[in-house]
Structures are given as C-alpha cells and as structure tokens.
C-alpha cells in the first residue's frame, strides 16, 4: 500500500470479494438445482445434500462489510491521534448511517428476503475508499491532533478531579494532584490495584504521557507508558512506595490513592495544556 491509502486498498479487495462471493452463490445454485432435477425421485427433497441455503452468501458479506468499516474507523483512531496518544475518539454513528446504515440496518416492516435483496444491492456499491476519504477529511492532519488534545484535556480534568479555583497543594516544592484508587487483598495477602481501577489508571497514565510528549518531555512520556505496562502485568501495590517516573514526575502509591508530584515546570505545562484544550473542547 505504498501508493494507495488503506481505503483504496480495501475498495479494490472488496470488489474482488463481492465478485467471488456472487460467483460462488451462482455456482452453488446450479449444484442445488442439479441435485433436485427429475430422475432423483427416490430422494427426499426436503433433505437435500446441497441445500439452497448454502448459496445464501448475504450473512457473510454483511459481516465482512461491517468488519471492513470498523477496521477503517479503528485505523483512523490511531493514525490521526496526537503524538504520544494511542487513539482518537471518533463518533462513528453518523458515518455508519451515511455509508452502510441505509441498507445494512433492517427495517422491521420489511421481510427478511426483501431486506437481503436491498442490503446486497447496497453492499455491491459499498466503497471503503469513500469511507476513508470522509475520515481523512474530518479527522486527518492538524484537526485530528487538535481534537485529540481537546479530548485528553477533558479526560485529565475528570481523572484528577480538577475544579475551577481549586487550591493548589504543594509538597517538597512540587505540585500535588491526588487520584482515588481502589485496592483489593489477594490470596497471598498482598494488596493489589483493584480491577475496577486498573483501566482508569492506565488511561490516566496514557493521557499524562501525551501531555509530556506535547511538552517535549520525552523521558516522562516513555516512563509513564512503561509504568502503565508494569501495572497492567502486575497490579501489586505497596503503600507509600515512591515511583520516580522522571525528573519532573513522581508517583507515590497508597492503597486508596495515587499521589502525583510534578515539578513546577511540568505543572505549568500541564496547566497550560488543560487551560488551552479543555476550553477549546467546551467551545466546540
């Protein structure tokens, strides 16, 4: 795919797939008709070997078409995400309705056979290249980056529970933000991060890593991701354990909270990021 984008690639593949599946359906119809021809009166035609349902390719075509649509959206979520971020949130509902919902979503008032005919006609015209072009138009380039930053800023406000006019807590010359977590006791009597806090903590660390990347603090970004992976593989917690992420970020773990300590320089960058992009998110 050096000279073509992913949408063009799947558009070509889809055309070949539809042609192949319809040829298969026609061939299986011929086999079924041959089995049912006169001269086989001794056979119970209610239980033919080559059932006509074998030539009904609609279910597979419908499944594969939706899978290609989902793959294009998921690829766009990573391809258009900001540097250091793993994915961009894309509202696919409008896109789905525009490109496949008109024929792939069954109306209750239509029979299944009529629905299949309508849907197959739609799938024949399905154009993955057009889907990708729409994704690229709406999320590609700088607009996707800006939107991703807005989404992350809002999530960080929620993650840290930041409120307007909040009093700034400091310790040892660092700005402190606390995040509530839940822990559980394991069979070996060790404490571990509860599964209910695992996903939220991982996402929070990822979002913070994106801010570090935005602030040109590559070291913090790399080690935040590494610590996230460590927690994913081993959720064991030690109360008051000091985790030196980088020169700018330290995390102190407790059984009921994580204490994030930021140097004034990094705290200023974090404040700048949130004030810039959270405000833009509200305006949008």
């Amino acid at each position: 795919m050096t000279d073509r984008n992913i949408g063009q690639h799947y558009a070509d593949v889809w055309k070949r797939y539809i042609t192949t599946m319809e040829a298969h359906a026609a061939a299986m119809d011929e086999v079924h008709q041959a089995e049912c021809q006169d001269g086989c009166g001794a056979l119970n035609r209610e239980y033919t070997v080559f059932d006509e349902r074998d030539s009904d390719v609609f279910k597979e075509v419908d499944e594969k078409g939706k899978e290609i649509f989902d793959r294009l959206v998921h690829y766009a979520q990573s391809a258009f995400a900001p540097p250091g971020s793993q994915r961009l949130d894309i509202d696919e509902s409008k896109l789905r309705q525009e490109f496949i919902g008109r024929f792939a979503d069954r109306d209750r008032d239509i029979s299944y056979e009529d629905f299949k005919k309508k849907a197959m006609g739609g799938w024949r015209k399905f154009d993955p290249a057009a889907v990708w072009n729409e994704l690229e138009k709406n999320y590609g380039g700088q607009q996707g980056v800006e939107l991703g930053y807005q989404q992350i800023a809002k999530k960080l406000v929620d993650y840290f529970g930041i409120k307007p006019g909040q009093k700034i807590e400091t310790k040892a010359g660092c700005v402190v933000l606390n995040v509530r977590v839940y822990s559980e006791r394991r069979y070996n009597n060790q404490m571990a991060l509860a599964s209910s806090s695992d996903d939220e903590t991982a996402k929070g660390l990822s979002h913070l890593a994106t801010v570090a990347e935005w602030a040109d603090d590559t070291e913090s970004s790399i080690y935040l991701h590494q610590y996230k992976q460590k927690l994913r593989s081993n959720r064991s917690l030690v109360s008051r354990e000091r985790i030196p992420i980088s020169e700018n970020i330290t995390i102190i773990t407790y059984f009921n909270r994580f204490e994030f300590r930021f140097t004034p320089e990094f705290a200023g960058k974090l404040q700048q990021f949130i004030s810039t992009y959270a405000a833009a998110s509200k305006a949008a």
Side-chain angles (χ1 to χ4, degrees):
M1 290 190 290
T2 54
D3 298 323
R4 300 178 300 163
N5 63 40
I6 188 173
Q8 292 169 332
H9 170 72
Y10 273 112
D12 292 342
V13 171
W14 184 251
K15 288 178 183 177
R16 294 180 61 181
Y17 172 75
I18 285 290
T19 301
T20 301
M21 293 303 292
E22 291 191 324
H24 168 74
M28 290 305 300
D29 273 335
E30 292 179 4
V31 171
H32 173 68
Q33 292 302 322
E35 183 186 14
C36 294
Q37 284 177 354
D38 290 341
C40 297
L43 295 175
N44 186 340
R45 295 182 183 180
E46 292 183 12
Y47 300 100
T48 55
V49 175
F50 299 101
D51 195 294
E52 61 183 342
R53 287 176 298 181
D54 292 339
S55 62
D56 182 3
V57 301
F58 166 69
K59 184 176 181 181
E60 183 175 344
V61 168
D62 186 67
E63 180 182 301
K64 295 300 182 185
K66 290 174 180 176
E67 187 175 340
I68 287 178
F69 176 87
D70 290 341
R71 178 165 293 194
L72 292 173
V73 173
H74 294 161
Y75 184 81
Q77 287 177 318
S78 59
F80 301 143
S85 176
Q86 294 185 332
R87 59 174 281 150
L88 174 71
D89 290 341
I90 292 178
D91 181 3
E92 65 180 70
S93 56
K94 183 178 179 182
L95 198 69
R96 180 179 290 273
Q97 180 58 33
E98 180 178 353
F99 286 98
I100 65 175
R102 291 172 295 178
F103 58 83
D105 295 337
R106 183 183 176 187
D107 190 327
R108 293 181 180 178
D109 297 329
I110 190 173
S111 70
Y112 183 66
E113 289 302 316
D114 288 341
F115 166 61
K116 284 199 301 183
K117 291 177 183 177
K118 173 188 173 185
M120 279 301 294
W123 283 123
R124 289 187 190 99
K125 298 176 183 178
F126 175 54
D127 185 4
V131 176
W132 181 256
N133 288 340
E134 188 69 12
L135 285 164
E136 199 166 33
K137 182 180 77 173
N138 293 328
Y139 301 102
Q142 191 59 29
Q143 60 184 335
V145 172
E146 293 292 313
L147 177 60
Y149 284 151
Q150 291 171 22
Q151 293 172 352
I152 289 169
K154 184 178 183 303
K155 290 173 182 177
L156 282 172
V157 168
D158 294 338
Y159 180 65
F160 286 117
I162 299 173
K163 296 178 175 58
Q166 180 176 328
K167 183 179 179 181
I168 298 175
E169 180 183 357
T170 60
K171 289 183 181 179
C174 292
V175 174
V176 175
L177 289 175
N178 288 286
V179 175
R180 182 174 180 79
V181 299
Y182 295 92
S183 58
E184 57 190 13
R185 191 175 298 278
R186 288 182 168 175
Y187 65 91
N188 57 6
N189 216 32
Q190 286 187 335
M191 297 299 290
L193 188 67
S195 56
S196 59
S197 290
D198 182 34
D199 188 55
E200 183 180 1
T201 302
K203 289 178 179 178
L205 292 170
S206 289
H207 299 330
L208 195 57
T210 301
V211 177
E213 188 77 21
W214 172 84
D216 295 324
D217 185 355
T218 305
E219 179 189 19
S220 293
S221 180
I222 290 173
Y223 289 113
L224 280 165
H225 280 301
Q226 287 187 3
Y227 182 57
K228 176 190 71 176
Q229 293 302 327
K230 179 184 175 182
L231 278 179
R232 284 289 202 190
S233 60
N234 181 5
R235 294 185 282 118
S236 296
L237 289 180
V238 176
S239 184
R240 295 179 175 80
E241 182 180 13
R242 187 182 186 90
I243 312 293
I245 299 295
S246 66
E247 291 183 357
N248 287 321
I249 304 174
T250 298
I251 300 174
I252 301 176
T253 61
Y254 297 86
F255 295 147
N256 63 348
R257 65 185 173 93
F258 277 14
E259 181 179 289
F260 288 79
R261 294 188 180 186
F262 306 116
T263 61
E265 180 182 2
F266 187 86
K269 292 288 187 180
L270 178 60
Q271 182 181 25
Q272 181 185 353
F273 180 89
I274 290 176
S275 62
T276 299
Y277 292 108
S281 176
K282 290 180 180 178

